[in-house]
Amino acid sequence: MTPIPNLKQEAARAALAHVEDGMKLGIGTGSTAEEFVRLLAQRVEAGLRVTGVSTSERTEALCRALGVPTSSLDETPALDLTVDGADEIGPGLALIKGGGGALLREKIVAHASARMIVIADASKVVETLGAFPLPIEVNRFGLSATRRAVERAAGQLALSGVVTLRGGDSQPFVTDGGHLILDASFGRIPDPERTHAMLCAVPGVVETGLFIGLCHLAMVASPVGIKVMSR
């Protein structure tokens, strides 16, 4: 069987075929997105002209190291295409993202783009979102109250499961924006739209890792080839 890292590279290569000279690109975060950056850097070295907007400091550092030109979203507020990975791909190309801790910036960049392509291996495709714990980015202030409110909202949605602070109380994971992340192990999220709306209504919640209506295409790699999924 083809190793997973090679599948990620093949998905990234399929997305690269949609990149045209002169494009303004949103560039995602995570191991699959990094495969895309490495392939993109080879094209840039060969003469491709692009401007990238990174979704995290980690991605920005990799782009700089490999010679991919970058800009900020303030300087380049309208993007042609974003290429990013996903933790789960559900029906209608609804996604769970945020395993790498960059979900807020990833969503801002995706929303600023005319199109979004997700790259992943076939293990990320699911019939119902939720097996991967849902990341919820939250403000530091009032963390305990926010977590209780998130748990109450989950109960109203008939969602059960543990809501944990990423990194733990002693050394919590901190996002590039200075926020914290709650990981909600719901198991199944049968109504992603309502779940997102109710969680975002909780004061203290900055954003959820549910990406709905943002992804246009998914390049999904398996040992038998690339499957292109669309809405």
Side-chain angles (χ1 to χ4, degrees):
M1 183 174 290
T2 304
I4 292 297
N6 289 347
L7 295 182
K8 293 177 179 180
Q9 187 179 81
E10 290 310 306
R13 197 184 312 279
L16 189 60
H18 291 257
V19 176
E20 300 175 4
D21 195 61
M23 271 190 166
K24 299 169 184 176
L25 294 175
I27 304 176
T29 295
S31 58
T32 310
E34 287 174 4
E35 294 291 346
F36 175 77
V37 174
R38 293 186 180 96
L39 293 173
L40 179 64
Q42 294 174 11
R43 290 280 308 277
V44 168
E45 186 177 8
L48 180 71
R49 296 171 301 163
V50 295
T51 301
V53 172
S54 303
T55 57
S56 68
E57 294 174 8
R58 172 178 164 179
T59 297
E60 178 70 15
L62 182 62
C63 286
R64 290 181 178 178
L66 296 180
V68 176
T70 60
S71 176
S72 70
L73 195 58
D74 287 326
E75 295 168 338
T76 312
L79 305 177
D80 300 301
L81 175 66
T82 284
V83 178
D84 204 348
D87 298 302
E88 284 189 341
I89 303 171
L93 294 187
L95 313 171
I96 285 182
K97 289 179 50 55
L103 65 100
L104 175 60
R105 293 190 181 188
E106 288 173 336
K107 190 170 285 190
I108 292 170
V109 168
H111 196 267
S113 302
R115 292 187 300 147
M116 180 186 188
I117 294 178
V118 160
I119 50 179
D121 64 79
S123 68
K124 302 299 175 68
V125 179
V126 297
E127 292 184 2
T128 304
L129 295 176
F132 189 91
L134 175 65
I136 305 168
E137 192 158 339
V138 297
N139 199 288
R140 285 172 171 268
F141 179 79
L143 173 63
S144 294
T146 300
R147 180 166 17 186
R148 286 169 59 87
V150 165
E151 291 168 344
R152 286 196 299 271
Q156 293 171 0
L157 291 159
L159 299 175
S160 60
V162 178
V163 178
T164 60
L165 177 65
R166 186 176 298 184
D169 293 329
S170 59
Q171 290 185 314
F173 174 88
V174 180
T175 71
D176 288 347
H179 302 127
L180 306 179
I181 291 183
L182 298 175
D183 288 310
S185 299
F186 292 142
R188 287 174 54 84
I189 304 176
D191 191 342
E193 292 88 350
R194 184 165 178 246
T195 300
H196 172 72
M198 288 191 66
L199 291 176
C200 282
V202 172
V205 170
V206 179
E207 189 54 85
T208 82
L210 289 166
F211 282 53
I212 303 162
L214 288 172
C215 180
H216 295 80
L217 293 175
M219 304 296 175
V220 179
S222 74
V224 297
I226 298 291
K227 178 180 180 181
V228 180
M229 300 175 63
S230 60
R231 283 194 266 145

